Amino acid sequence: MNGVNDEQMAPQTFLYGCVLESGKEGHFNPEDDELEHQLDLRMACVDPSTKDELHTVEVEGRDAEGQVVKATLVTLKPSTLPSVCLGGFTITPPAVFRLKAGSGPVHLSGQHLIMMETGQSFDESE
Amino acid sequence: MNGVNDEQMAPQTFLYGCVLESGKEGHFNPEDDELEHQLDLRMACVDPSTKDELHTVEVEGRDAEGQVVKATLVTLKPSTLPSVCLGGFTITPPAVFRLKAGSGPVHLSGQHLIMMETGQSFDESE
Amino acid sequence: MNGVNDEQMAPQTFLYGCVLESGKEGHFNPEDDELEHQLDLRMACVDPSTKDELHTVEVEGRDAEGQVVKATLVTLKPSTLPSVCLGGFTITPPAVFRLKAGSGPVHLSGQHLIMMETGQSFDESE
Amino acid sequence: MNGVNDEQMAPQTFLYGCVLESGKEGHFNPEDDELEHQLDLRMACVDPSTKDELHTVEVEGRDAEGQVVKATLVTLKPSTLPSVCLGGFTITPPAVFRLKAGSGPVHLSGQHLIMMETGQSFDESE
Amino acid sequence: MNGVNDEQMAPQTFLYGCVLESGKEGHFNPEDDELEHQLDLRMACVDPSTKDELHTVEVEGRDAEGQVVKATLVTLKPSTLPSVCLGGFTITPPAVFRLKAGSGPVHLSGQHLIMMETGQSFDESE
């Protein structure tokens, strides 16, 4: 079981980023390999091209009953709060990010973590 | 015991969100299944429909003696601080969230974690 | 030893909150049971009754030599920064919180964690 | 296997800092020893010499398919938000940081962590 | 090995605070006992006596090659951002904190963690 524990303690970390605009969603929906995927959202920010109004980001995911639910993640305004730390908000795929208010762009970034499924180690799969 | 440790290290993560308004509370009170539930609050934010005044969110939970206690969680104002990272504030059910000041809406979001009870593994329960 | 490790990985979490005003301190000093107590401070915030001036919170605890030391924890102002995430500032009892500047109220909130002492498990103590 | 687990739980921590300006990038690309390197970004901030405009920092890394990807990390402005906590944004080398907007300087800081590769312990390598 | 693992999972936590002013540095340089020391910086803040200008804090530590390096940690201004969460910035001794801009006072606070060295437990050392 040591191989499994090793991987769970040190998952592989990749860079994730998406840009939200009117009519342009962001997605976290990795392909269906046999691995466990997770997104740790770290930062949300505007850029100099973002209009100076309140921008609200919504995330759509699944609740514990498996139903699609929406939550309001963050609200930014260039002249008041151009960046917010999301503190490692863990997102389980599939998830969709979209602007509920404002026309963007709003940038989300974080870490795409890939872990082994329970009972499987890299030693076995590689 | 490996099954128990595995689940504790990698609980299942679901999306949680609620909207607080005058007279509209939020609740974290999962049904009594035999699993252990936890809420990691990540973000609090307003939206463009929120009136520009100080909004204060109160959480009602239990202290170490089992008594109902209230704590003031966060204070937001659209023109000053439209979003605040709550940094993973862990809430044990049952808990109630409500506005102590301001008429909202104020949005809370985070992760609903489900873990196995001590001495029980998914292998046994499924 | 499995019982001890289980509890250390998943301590019991309770809600902690206190309100600081002129002449009114907050305390974290759980009764002397045989358990290990810890406070993870999560948020500091003002409310609409807080005067619009800089409020500075001091914490009094112990340093590594066992001496009483004071540290300045956070400074808030309703019109500039009404809430601050403390990010899980771990406080070991006994500790005292007080306003060093401003008349309050300032609210602190977080998690009161209770863990087993080394070499003792819930199975044995209950 | 105990040596490996010990090191993974307590990696060695070093200080990392870089300064971004127009035409001056920051890099995280440790030399190819046999150790595992990771950067936990903690803070981004301006200084008194930074022009009062929005500064946007971009990070270039790798996604899960091994492709080079860019993400917008943070946006700062001296008169609005001179510092932002990045909350431990984990960066896997090689990575490049650069200003996408603004002329800087913008400062990034964090922890350079060095861990042992799987299947190898300090006891064996030293 | 259980004693070592226990201590690593639950290091002892003490309060750390320092005040930075012109010509007054802060230090994290615990005496050379046989224990492992670490500082988790949590908060930086000004107080009502701090002049309303940008204050920049520099930290001096060691990089992975053992060389002395400096990084810019945080920039605060009383009227814009009186407090910043540092999110648990881990500092390995010896380290020095100083103001690179502004005359202070600026307050740093956090947790001084003391852990056992690898291969040694409290049971053996006490």
Side-chain angles (χ1 to χ4, degrees):
Chain A
M1 289 300 286
N2 279 318
V4 174
N5 288 329
D6 288 350
E7 299 310 328
Q8 285 184 333
M9 297 308 291
Q12 284 187 274
T13 302
F14 303 95
L15 183 61
Y16 175 87
C18 70
V19 189
L20 309 179
E21 296 176 282
S22 295
K24 188 184 169 203
E25 300 177 336
H27 294 266
F28 180 63
N29 197 5
E31 62 169 316
D32 188 20
D33 46 30
E34 289 179 20
L35 307 174
E36 191 184 324
H37 294 267
Q38 182 180 301
L39 174 59
D40 282 4
L41 282 177
R42 289 285 164 192
M43 296 299 299
C45 65
V46 301
D47 72 38
S49 72
T50 309
K51 192 180 165 190
D52 193 23
E53 57 187 6
L54 283 175
H55 287 75
T56 299
V57 177
E58 176 183 87
V59 53
E60 183 182 302
R62 302 270 170 173
D63 69 10
E65 281 76 41
Q67 302 300 310
V68 171
V69 287
K70 297 173 182 180
T72 302
L73 189 64
V74 67
T75 294
L76 299 155
K77 190 183 178 189
S79 64
T80 308
L81 191 64
S83 295
V84 173
C85 180
L86 303 175
F89 198 124
T90 299
I91 303 289
T92 305
V96 184
F97 306 103
R98 67 175 69 89
L99 290 175
K100 236 177 76 182
S103 54
V106 169
H107 305 263
L108 299 178
S109 60
Q111 303 149 222
H112 177 170
L113 304 180
I114 303 184
M115 284 157 287
M116 305 306 294
E117 288 187 319
T118 308
Q120 185 187 30
S121 76
F122 267 123
D123 295 338
E124 295 166 27
S125 65
E126 284 178 355
Chain B
M1 289 299 287
N2 279 318
V4 174
N5 288 328
D6 288 349
E7 298 310 330
Q8 285 184 333
M9 296 308 290
Q12 283 188 276
T13 302
F14 303 96
L15 183 61
Y16 175 87
C18 70
V19 189
L20 308 180
E21 295 176 284
S22 294
K24 188 183 169 204
E25 299 177 336
H27 293 266
F28 181 62
N29 198 6
E31 62 169 317
D32 188 18
D33 44 26
E34 287 174 19
L35 307 173
E36 191 184 324
H37 294 267
Q38 182 181 302
L39 174 60
D40 281 4
L41 282 177
R42 288 286 164 192
M43 296 297 300
C45 64
V46 301
D47 71 39
S49 72
T50 308
K51 192 180 165 190
D52 193 23
E53 57 187 6
L54 284 175
H55 286 74
T56 299
V57 177
E58 176 183 86
V59 52
E60 182 182 302
R62 302 270 169 173
D63 68 11
E65 281 77 41
Q67 302 299 311
V68 171
V69 287
K70 297 174 181 179
T72 301
L73 189 64
V74 66
T75 294
L76 298 156
K77 190 182 178 189
S79 64
T80 308
L81 191 63
S83 296
V84 174
C85 181
L86 303 175
F89 198 124
T90 300
I91 303 289
T92 305
V96 184
F97 306 103
R98 68 175 69 89
L99 290 175
K100 236 177 76 182
S103 54
V106 169
H107 305 264
L108 299 179
S109 60
Q111 303 149 221
H112 177 169
L113 304 180
I114 303 184
M115 284 156 287
M116 305 306 294
E117 288 187 319
T118 308
Q120 184 187 30
S121 76
F122 267 123
D123 294 339
E124 295 166 28
S125 64
E126 283 179 355
Chain C
M1 290 299 286
N2 279 317
V4 174
N5 288 328
D6 288 350
E7 299 310 330
Q8 286 183 332
M9 296 308 291
Q12 283 188 276
T13 302
F14 302 96
L15 183 61
Y16 175 86
C18 70
V19 189
L20 310 179
E21 295 176 284
S22 294
K24 188 184 168 203
E25 299 177 337
H27 294 266
F28 181 61
N29 197 5
E31 62 169 316
D32 187 19
D33 46 28
E34 288 180 20
L35 307 173
E36 191 184 325
H37 294 267
Q38 182 180 301
L39 174 59
D40 281 4
L41 282 177
R42 289 286 164 192
M43 296 298 299
C45 65
V46 302
D47 70 39
S49 72
T50 308
K51 192 179 165 191
D52 193 23
E53 57 186 6
L54 284 175
H55 287 73
T56 299
V57 177
E58 175 185 86
V59 53
E60 182 182 302
R62 302 269 169 173
D63 69 9
E65 281 77 41
Q67 302 298 311
V68 172
V69 287
K70 297 173 181 180
T72 301
L73 189 64
V74 67
T75 294
L76 299 155
K77 190 183 178 189
S79 64
T80 308
L81 191 63
S83 296
V84 173
C85 180
L86 302 175
F89 198 124
T90 300
I91 303 289
T92 305
V96 184
F97 307 103
R98 67 175 70 91
L99 291 175
K100 235 177 76 181
S103 54
V106 169
H107 305 264
L108 300 179
S109 60
Q111 303 148 222
H112 177 169
L113 305 180
I114 303 184
M115 285 157 285
M116 304 307 294
E117 287 187 320
T118 308
Q120 185 188 31
S121 77
F122 267 123
D123 295 338
E124 295 165 28
S125 65
E126 283 177 357
Chain D
M1 290 300 286
N2 278 318
V4 174
N5 287 329
D6 287 350
E7 299 309 328
Q8 285 184 334
M9 297 307 291
Q12 284 187 275
T13 302
F14 303 96
L15 182 62
Y16 175 86
C18 71
V19 189
L20 309 179
E21 296 176 284
S22 294
K24 189 185 168 201
E25 300 177 336
H27 293 266
F28 180 62
N29 197 4
E31 62 169 317
D32 187 19
D33 45 30
E34 288 180 21
L35 306 173
E36 191 184 324
H37 294 267
Q38 182 181 301
L39 174 60
D40 282 4
L41 282 176
R42 290 285 166 193
M43 297 297 299
C45 64
V46 300
D47 71 39
S49 72
T50 309
K51 193 180 165 190
D52 194 23
E53 58 186 6
L54 284 175
H55 286 74
T56 299
V57 177
E58 176 184 86
V59 53
E60 183 182 302
R62 301 271 171 174
D63 68 9
E65 281 76 41
Q67 302 300 309
V68 171
V69 286
K70 297 173 182 181
T72 302
L73 188 65
V74 67
T75 295
L76 299 155
K77 189 182 179 189
S79 64
T80 308
L81 191 63
S83 295
V84 174
C85 180
L86 303 175
F89 198 124
T90 299
I91 303 289
T92 305
V96 184
F97 307 103
R98 68 175 68 90
L99 290 175
K100 235 177 75 182
S103 54
V106 169
H107 305 263
L108 300 178
S109 60
Q111 303 148 220
H112 178 170
L113 304 180
I114 303 183
M115 285 157 286
M116 303 307 294
E117 287 187 320
T118 308
Q120 184 187 30
S121 77
F122 268 123
D123 295 338
E124 294 165 27
S125 64
E126 283 177 356
Chain E
M1 290 299 287
N2 278 319
V4 174
N5 287 328
D6 288 350
E7 299 310 328
Q8 285 183 333
M9 297 308 291
Q12 283 188 277
T13 302
F14 302 96
L15 182 61
Y16 175 87
C18 70
V19 189
L20 309 179
E21 296 177 283
S22 294
K24 188 184 168 202
E25 299 177 337
H27 293 266
F28 180 61
N29 198 5
E31 62 169 317
D32 187 19
D33 46 29
E34 288 180 20
L35 307 173
E36 192 184 324
H37 294 267
Q38 182 180 301
L39 174 60
D40 281 4
L41 282 177
R42 289 286 164 192
M43 296 297 300
C45 65
V46 301
D47 71 39
S49 72
T50 308
K51 192 180 166 190
D52 193 23
E53 58 186 5
L54 284 175
H55 286 75
T56 299
V57 177
E58 176 184 86
V59 53
E60 182 182 302
R62 302 269 170 174
D63 68 10
E65 280 76 41
Q67 301 300 310
V68 171
V69 286
K70 297 174 181 180
T72 302
L73 189 64
V74 67
T75 295
L76 299 155
K77 190 182 178 189
S79 63
T80 308
L81 191 63
S83 296
V84 174
C85 180
L86 302 176
F89 198 124
T90 299
I91 302 290
T92 304
V96 184
F97 306 103
R98 67 175 69 91
L99 290 176
K100 235 177 76 182
S103 54
V106 169
H107 305 263
L108 299 179
S109 61
Q111 303 149 221
H112 177 169
L113 305 179
I114 303 183
M115 285 156 287
M116 304 307 294
E117 287 187 321
T118 307
Q120 184 188 30
S121 77
F122 267 124
D123 295 338
E124 295 165 28
S125 65
E126 284 177 355

